[in-house]
Amino acid sequence: MDLDRFLTKAREAATDAAQYGEEKIIPAATAAFQKADAYAKQKVIPGVEAAINEAKGYTKDKMASDLHRVGVAAEDFRQEQLGPAVENGKEYLNDKIIPAVLHFLELMKKDLVVIWEKISAWAILNQGNLAWMGVGGLAIRIPRLFTIPVLLILGFGSFGVRLASIASRLQSRIGNVGAGSPFAYLQSAAAGGYGAVVVDTMVRIAGTGLISWTLWKMVAVAPQ
């Protein structure tokens, strides 16, 4: 039968393959392994051992010698090159740079003295104008410093119009005070309401005008 013949052929092929392996492949592989082992023992291992021994010898002998030579070269460089360079740098610093800096500071000192004398003379000459400019600056920066005292003098307080004051007499003449009138704005400013923004803005404008007028006067009367 076809199946029996196929199985018989397969067994014969397997037997032949096993016999071929025993007779050819295994002996060849054994011989190759033996040759590789012999080569490693004869060549590779001795070479590695020789390299290790050479490295050990370099570490113990040559490395110490090379490090000594490097140290000697570094010391020679310090003495022959670096040391003189540092000394030259110190000499240049002491002979050139420091005197130049001191001379420059001396010139600056003289110039600063002259400038300060001019500024002092100018300030004395314009001390009145500078005072007015200071008042203008305060009016711009802190307008309430001016509005509150003036409102109190006029009779506008935080709780209303003060009796027997300029504001009370003015109110008696006006009668009913309108919501958008100047009198109402002054009342609101004294109480810290919406009128304070308007009054403070007017004071800031006045401060700016005072500074501008003072500067113009200083320039106009300055000696040509």
Side-chain angles (χ1 to χ4, degrees), residues 71-88:
V72 171
E75 181 64 21
D76 292 342
F77 174 78
R78 186 186 69 81
Q79 294 180 357
E80 297 176 3
Q81 303 293 330
L82 186 60
V86 172
E87 293 299 326
N88 292 335

Side-chain angles (χ1 to χ4, degrees), residues 139-178:
I140 295 172
R141 188 70 180 86
I142 317 174
R144 302 292 286 175
L145 189 65
F146 299 89
T147 57
I148 292 178
V150 172
L151 290 172
L152 288 175
I153 292 172
L154 294 176
F156 294 98
S158 58
F159 297 101
V161 177
R162 185 162 45 85
L163 296 176
S165 64
I166 298 175
S168 64
R169 289 194 293 269
L170 184 61
Q171 187 179 24
S172 64
R173 292 183 181 181
I174 294 175
N176 292 328
V177 178

Side-chain angles (χ1 to χ4, degrees), residues 70-217:
V70 171
V72 171
E75 181 64 21
D76 292 342
F77 174 78
R78 186 186 69 81
Q79 294 180 357
E80 297 176 3
Q81 303 293 330
L82 186 60
V86 172
E87 293 299 326
N88 292 335
K90 290 181 180 179
E91 184 178 353
Y92 183 79
L93 179 66
N94 293 328
D95 295 343
K96 301 293 183 180
I97 297 179
I98 292 179
V101 172
L102 293 177
H103 180 67
F104 173 76
L105 292 177
E106 187 66 25
L107 294 177
M108 288 296 297
K109 179 182 177 181
K110 294 179 181 178
D111 292 340
L112 289 175
V113 170
V114 172
I115 293 172
W116 177 252
E117 291 175 351
K118 290 182 179 180
I119 292 175
S120 300
W122 179 85
I124 293 173
L125 181 65
N126 296 278
Q127 55 185 343
N129 294 326
L130 293 175
W132 282 116
M133 291 179 65
V135 172
L138 284 175
I140 295 172
R141 188 70 180 86
I142 317 174
R144 302 292 286 175
L145 189 65
F146 299 89
T147 57
I148 292 178
V150 172
L151 290 172
L152 288 175
I153 292 172
L154 294 176
F156 294 98
S158 58
F159 297 101
V161 177
R162 185 162 45 85
L163 296 176
S165 64
I166 298 175
S168 64
R169 289 194 293 269
L170 184 61
Q171 187 179 24
S172 64
R173 292 183 181 181
I174 294 175
N176 292 328
V177 178
S181 64
F183 193 91
Y185 273 101
L186 294 176
Q187 279 185 305
S188 174
Y194 63 89
V197 177
V198 177
V199 175
D200 289 350
T201 301
M202 294 177 63
V203 172
R204 287 192 173 98
I205 293 173
T208 304
L210 179 60
I211 292 175
S212 301
W213 174 77
T214 305
L215 288 173
W216 174 83
K217 186 174 68 170

